[in-house]
C-alpha cells in the first residue's frame, strides 16, 4: 500500500507540494504552505471539464496526511488549479480562516465557541464536514518496558502541572525513579485541545513539556530518550512504529478496529474540514476540490493510517456541499 509522507513527496503531473508546520510562538508562526498545481473536478466530470483558479486551506497537522494524499491525487485531474495548504495547527488554521485568508480549515477537534463568534463577527458563514476517525495515540520510547498500559487517571497524573518534577516512580513505585520527559503538540493544535479536554479536564499541561506543531519533531524527541512520553494522531504512530512503543489506554490499544468500533475511548475522535460557504458557492475550483476531497477521503484516510467514516456520512457531506452551491444570500 502506498504511503504519503508528511513532509516529503514527489512532484505529480508537474505539480509540487510543500508542507510545513508552524507553532503558535512568534518564532515559527509563519508556517510554510503546501502548493501544487492541482485539478478541481472529480471522476468523469474532471476528465470532461478543466478548471482554472486557486484554492487555499490551512489547519491541523493531524488532518494533513489525508489532505496531502488528496492533493496528490487531485493534481492529475485539474492541472490549472493551484491548491495551497498550510499546516499551522487547528487553532492557527482557524485564525487564518477567520481572517478570510482561506477557503477551508482542517481541524482535529470541533470548532470552539469563541471561534464561531469571531467568524460571525467577520461575516463568514461556514459548514463543518467530517473526513475520518482518528485515535489519539500515547507513545513512549522503545526501551520503555514498564508503561505498557495506562489508565486515563494515570495519564492525567502524568500530564497535569502540579509544581513537582515528575518521575515515573511517582506513577508506580516499581517503575524507574527517573524524570519523565514530555513531548506534546503545541497549543495551536487540535490534538492538544482534545487531550486537554478528555484527559486533563481543562487543567494545565505539565510546563516541562516540549511543544511542537510538527509531529515529526515529537517522534524524533520521543524516539531519542528512554524516559520520554508523548501523544499525537494514530497515522504518525503507524508511520513511525519501528521507533516507538504504543501505550494501551484503559487496557485498549488503538488499532484500526478499536477506533472504528468506538472501543478506544476516550481518545477516539473525528477529523474535519470547515469550508467557507461563499467560497463553495462562488469559487468553482474550491467547490470542486472539496467535492473531490469528500469523494476520496475514506480511501485516503485508510491509506495514511486513519479510519474511514461510514459511506452514508460521506454521502451526507456531499449532499450538504452541493446545497451550498445554490444558497442565496451567503456572506
Amino acid at each position: 500500500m502506498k504511503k504519503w509522507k508528511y513532509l516529503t513527496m514527489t512532484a505529480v503531473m508537474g505539480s509540487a507540494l510543500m508542507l510545513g508546520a508552524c507553532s503558535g510562538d512568534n518564532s515559527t508562526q509563519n508556517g510554510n504552505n503546501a502548493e501544487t498545481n492541482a485539478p478541481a473536478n472529480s471522476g468523469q466530470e474532471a476528465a470532461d471539464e478543466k478548471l482554472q483558479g486557486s484554492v487555499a486551506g490551512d489547519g491541523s497537522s493531524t488532518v494533513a496526511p489525508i489532505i496531502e494524499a488528496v492533493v496528490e491525487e487531485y493534481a492529475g485531474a485539474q492541472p490549472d488549479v493551484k491548491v495551497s495548504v498550510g499546516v499551522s495547527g487547528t487553532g492557527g488554521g482557524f485564525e487564518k480562516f477567520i481572517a478570510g485568508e482561506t477557503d477551508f480549515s482542517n481541524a482535529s477537534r470541533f470548532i470552539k465557541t469563541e471561534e464561531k463568534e469571531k467568524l460571525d463577527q467577520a461575516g463568514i458563514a461556514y459548514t463543518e464536514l467530517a473526513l475520518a476517525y482518528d485515535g489519539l495515540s500515547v507513545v513512549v520510547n522503545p526501551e520503555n518496558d514498564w508503561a505498557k498500559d495506562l489508565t486515563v487517571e494515570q495519564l492525567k497524573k502524568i500530564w497535569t502541572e502540579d509544581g513537582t518534577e515528575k518521575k515515573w516512580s511517582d506513577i508506580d513505585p516499581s517503575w524507574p525513579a527517573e524524570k519523565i520527559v514530555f513531548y506534546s503538540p503545541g497549543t495551536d493544535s487540535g490534538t492538544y485541545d482534545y487531550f486537554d479536554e478528555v484527559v486533563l479536564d481543562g487543567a494545565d499541561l505539565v510546563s516541562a513539556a516540549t511543544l511542537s506543531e510538527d509531529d515529526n519533531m515529537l517522534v524524533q524527541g520521543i524516539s531519542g530518550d528512554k524516559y520520554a512520553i508523548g501523544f499525537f494522531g494514530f497515522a504518525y504512530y503507524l508511520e513511525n512504529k519501528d521507533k516507538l512503543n504504543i501505550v494501551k489506554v484503559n487496557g485498549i490499544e488503538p488499532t484500526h478496529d478499536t477506533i472504528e468500533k468506538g472501543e478506544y475511548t476516550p481518545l477516539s475522535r473525528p477529523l474535519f474540514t470547515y469550508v467557507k460557504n461563499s467560497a463553495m458557492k462562488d469559487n468553482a475550483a474550491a467547490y470542486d476540490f472539496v467535492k473531490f476531497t469528500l469523494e476520496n477521503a475514506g480511501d485516503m484516510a485508510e491509506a495514511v493510517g486513519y479510519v474511514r467514516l461510514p459511506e452514508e456520512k460521506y454521502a451526507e457531506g456531499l449532499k450538504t456541499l452541493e446545497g451550498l452551491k445554490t444558497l442565496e444570500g451567503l456572506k
Side-chain angles (χ1 to χ4, degrees), residues 21-316:
C22 67
S23 67
D25 60 34
N26 291 334
S27 64
T28 57
Q29 64 186 172
N30 296 318
N32 296 329
N33 278 340
E35 292 197 359
T36 182
N37 290 332
N41 265 29
S42 50
Q44 188 59 42
E45 289 182 22
D48 294 341
E49 180 186 357
K50 295 300 180 183
L51 299 178
Q52 293 183 342
S54 61
V55 188
D58 205 294
S60 167
S61 64
T62 302
V63 181
I66 299 174
I67 299 301
E68 177 185 291
V70 169
V71 170
E72 181 179 350
E73 293 300 305
Y74 187 68
Q78 297 285 356
D80 294 327
V81 175
K82 185 174 77 171
V83 181
S84 62
V85 186
V87 188
S88 302
T90 297
F94 275 130
E95 288 177 7
K96 294 183 178 183
F97 197 54
I98 292 163
E101 299 174 16
T102 54
D103 302 303
F104 65 92
S105 195
N106 302 319
S108 59
R109 58 161 170 80
F110 290 99
I111 189 170
K112 294 180 178 179
T113 299
E114 56 265 36
E115 291 163 341
K116 293 179 182 179
E117 292 172 349
K118 289 179 180 179
L119 283 165
D120 186 58
Q121 292 167 7
I124 297 173
Y126 66 90
T127 297
E128 173 189 288
L129 299 169
L131 297 178
Y133 294 126
D134 175 34
L136 192 155
S137 300
V138 179
V139 295
V140 294
N141 185 276
E143 294 184 58
N144 183 327
D145 58 3
W146 58 91
K148 298 179 180 180
D149 190 344
L150 295 171
T151 66
V152 172
E153 283 305 310
Q154 285 176 317
L155 283 173
K156 185 174 183 179
K157 184 175 181 180
I158 289 170
W159 283 95
T160 300
E161 176 58 47
D162 61 6
T164 67
E165 182 180 82
K166 296 173 184 284
K167 296 180 180 180
W168 283 107
S169 55
D170 296 333
I171 310 305
D172 187 318
S174 67
W175 292 354
E178 298 287 344
K179 183 173 68 173
I180 304 174
V181 180
F182 301 92
Y183 288 91
S184 165
T187 55
D188 265 345
S189 167
T191 302
Y192 178 103
D193 290 332
Y194 190 83
F195 191 83
D196 179 65
E197 178 184 346
V198 303
V199 174
L200 303 186
D201 255 349
D204 290 337
L205 188 85
V206 62
S207 60
T210 297
L211 306 180
S212 177
E213 306 296 344
D214 185 348
D215 295 304
N216 295 285
M217 290 184 64
L218 303 180
V219 169
Q220 183 178 357
I222 299 162
S223 63
D225 194 311
K226 180 178 180 178
Y227 301 106
I229 188 171
F231 60 92
F232 39 68
F234 184 57
Y236 288 99
Y237 162 68
L238 290 182
E239 183 76 15
N240 298 278
K241 61 182 180 181
D242 58 328
K243 305 174 186 176
L244 304 166
N245 279 354
I246 195 77
V247 177
K248 293 180 180 179
V249 177
N250 290 341
I252 303 296
E253 179 178 339
T255 67
H256 182 283
D257 287 344
T258 61
I259 295 169
E260 183 178 38
K261 294 175 182 176
E263 297 171 354
Y264 181 63
T265 58
L267 295 180
S268 293
R269 56 178 177 166
L271 303 176
F272 306 99
T273 193
Y274 287 79
V275 300
K276 184 190 297 184
N277 291 356
S278 60
M280 299 303 101
K281 181 174 183 289
D282 300 328
N283 182 342
Y287 172 86
D288 192 68
F289 176 73
V290 174
K291 181 173 183 284
F292 185 93
T293 298
L294 289 176
E295 290 174 338
N296 292 276
D299 289 341
M300 298 299 101
E302 297 282 339
V304 301
Y306 295 122
V307 177
R308 69 169 66 242
L309 302 174
E311 289 305 315
E312 57 267 26
K313 293 294 185 182
Y314 294 118
E316 289 173 9

